[in-house]
Amino acid sequence: MRLFAAVPVPEPAREQILGLLGKLREAGWPVRWVHDEGLHMTLKFFGEVAPERLDVIAEALRFAGHGADTLALELGDLGAFPSRNRPRVLWVGVQAPAGLELLQDRIERGCEAIGFPPEGAPFQPHITLGRVREGQRLPTTGLEDHAEGFERVSFVARQLVLYESMLTTAGLRYESRMTLDFGP
């Protein structure tokens, strides 16, 4: 099973990102764009995991997320990893309170205790829009040109979901394996 823990993107942020994706897709760039139903903010990527580890991971996430409140977030600027000059992943940033970083850190530490090492890079809240196809390049300018009308709207994170990523004949599909609601 290929697993990751993420915060799903609710309305109105979802609507704004879908509008932006529509414009970016029209650019004709060599990018594998995310599917409309796949919008999320990843907090922990597990990779390939044996099915018998699912319960242990779910328990670690429940423990890390215990007592977490809903989080007021806001869409931010567009960006790219590793950089805008050599983009491999295109994303929209998320402005977040310290509580999101604390939650992500608790998840990292809890999952490290069950054998999943922490990410090497510092956590940067973002929602992936697409990945540049292997061996292809994008123009170093123009990302913002396609963002006309994109609003940096506020939204509330209310859940942490453990997703399984499955490759099907119709493309990548995400299935929820566990959901933890935030707040009282």
Side-chain angles (χ1 to χ4, degrees):
M1 307 175 80
R2 190 172 172 89
L3 301 175
F4 64 95
V7 171
V9 178
E11 298 298 344
R14 180 178 161 72
E15 181 181 323
Q16 285 298 313
I17 294 171
L18 291 176
L20 174 62
L21 274 169
K23 291 177 183 176
L24 289 171
R25 287 175 178 138
E26 291 173 2
W29 292 340
V31 174
R32 287 185 317 275
W33 300 106
V34 297
H35 292 285
D36 292 357
E37 63 278 352
L39 295 176
H40 62 271
M41 179 176 51
T42 301
L43 299 184
K44 176 69 179 169
F45 179 72
F46 296 96
E48 289 294 330
V49 176
E52 57 269 15
R53 305 257 358 242
L54 182 63
D55 290 342
V56 174
I57 293 169
E59 186 57 33
L61 292 174
R62 280 189 202 94
F63 185 77
H66 179 74
D69 286 327
T70 59
L71 297 162
L73 307 172
E74 184 177 320
L75 295 179
D77 294 330
L78 303 180
F81 292 133
S83 71
R84 281 185 171 229
N85 292 335
R86 297 188 57 82
R88 299 294 312 144
V89 175
L90 303 176
W91 49 262
V92 60
V94 175
Q95 297 176 359
L100 179 65
E101 190 170 339
L102 177 62
L103 173 63
Q104 194 272 340
D105 184 63
R106 289 178 63 180
I107 290 169
E108 284 286 15
R109 287 198 267 152
C111 292
E112 184 177 23
I114 60 169
F116 294 94
E119 294 290 324
F123 177 62
Q124 183 170 354
H126 70 279
I127 300 161
T128 298
L129 301 174
R131 290 174 175 74
V132 178
R133 294 184 192 280
E134 192 67 36
Q136 300 292 311
R137 301 282 309 247
L138 291 186
T140 55
T141 60
L143 190 57
E144 293 292 338
D145 296 341
H146 297 281
E148 186 175 325
F150 176 71
E151 294 181 32
R152 287 151 176 79
V153 298
S154 298
F155 62 104
V156 177
R158 301 183 187 284
Q159 295 179 322
L160 174 67
V161 179
L162 177 61
Y163 287 106
E164 179 181 359
S165 173
M166 297 179 289
L167 189 56
T168 69
T169 55
L172 201 56
R173 186 170 64 88
Y174 302 132
E175 187 169 319
S176 172
R177 294 297 178 188
M178 181 219 61
T179 300
L180 173 70
D181 293 325
F182 297 148

